[in-house]
Amino acid sequence: MSKITEEIEKLVSPIVDDLQLELVDIEFVKEGRDWFLRVYIDTPEGNIDIDQCAQVSEKLSEELDRTDPISQNYFLEVSSPGAERPLKKEEDFQQAIGQYVFIKTYEAIDGMKEFEGYLLAYGPDALEVEVRIKTRKITVIIDKEKIALARLAIDFSA
């Protein structure tokens, strides 16, 4: 996490906690010539609505104006993480057990760096994903430190 996203997390966490929402992720990225501060929120049930996003956006905007932690111009976006929600925290992975996921690794495992399948287990050091390769299913064990990206995915084969 960058210094800016850490600062934003300190500002937005009390806001989402007060509204009984969940902070999913924070991004501060440059796209073209513009900078974007993106805050992804959800409800514990996974059904965030536009009014809740607007509430968080308004309150966070006030805090950002008050504290001014970002020197350059940027656009603030507060939204749902969507159907392909990122998996970053321990709780995210625990809640995703049994769900279809996409995992990208820093280095190849059995010649592959991308895995799509059902998350079978998540432990202190590794996770297990059931992956379909053509007509057969295999279980792949992925060390946590090798994970570059993890998110929920949509199973189009179902």
Side-chain angles (χ1 to χ4, degrees), residues 45-56:
E45 301 79 32
N47 58 357
I48 193 81
D49 65 37
I50 195 162
D51 292 331
Q52 291 165 309
C53 291
Q55 273 186 301
V56 172

Side-chain angles (χ1 to χ4, degrees), residues 107-157:
E107 58 187 62
I109 299 170
D110 297 330
M112 298 179 358
K113 290 178 81 174
E114 294 184 355
F115 304 89
E116 251 189 59
Y118 287 93
L119 182 60
L120 300 177
Y122 180 79
D125 300 317
L127 53 83
E128 291 180 35
V129 180
E130 181 184 76
V131 179
R132 181 185 302 259
I133 298 177
K134 297 187 181 182
T135 59
R136 61 189 183 110
K137 293 179 183 176
I138 63 166
T139 299
V140 178
I141 297 172
I142 303 170
D143 291 337
K144 286 166 54 173
E145 67 267 2
K146 291 183 181 177
I147 298 172
L149 173 95
R151 63 173 167 74
L152 293 179
I154 299 169
D155 184 359
F156 290 104
S157 67

Side-chain angles (χ1 to χ4, degrees), residues 24-85:
V24 176
D25 199 10
I26 300 170
E27 296 177 338
F28 186 62
V29 294
K30 187 173 187 180
E31 294 178 1
R33 294 192 304 204
D34 296 321
W35 282 91
F36 291 87
L37 174 59
R38 294 191 176 112
V39 178
Y40 298 97
I41 59 172
D42 209 349
T43 64
E45 301 79 32
N47 58 357
I48 193 81
D49 65 37
I50 195 162
D51 292 331
Q52 291 165 309
C53 291
Q55 273 186 301
V56 172
S57 180
E58 185 177 306
K59 290 176 187 267
L60 178 57
S61 184
E62 290 170 5
E63 282 300 304
L64 291 167
D65 288 344
R66 187 179 64 74
T67 60
D68 200 22
I70 302 172
S71 58
Q72 63 261 53
N73 292 335
Y74 61 92
F75 294 96
L76 172 63
E77 296 177 355
V78 177
S79 67
S80 159
E84 294 187 337
R85 171 190 177 129

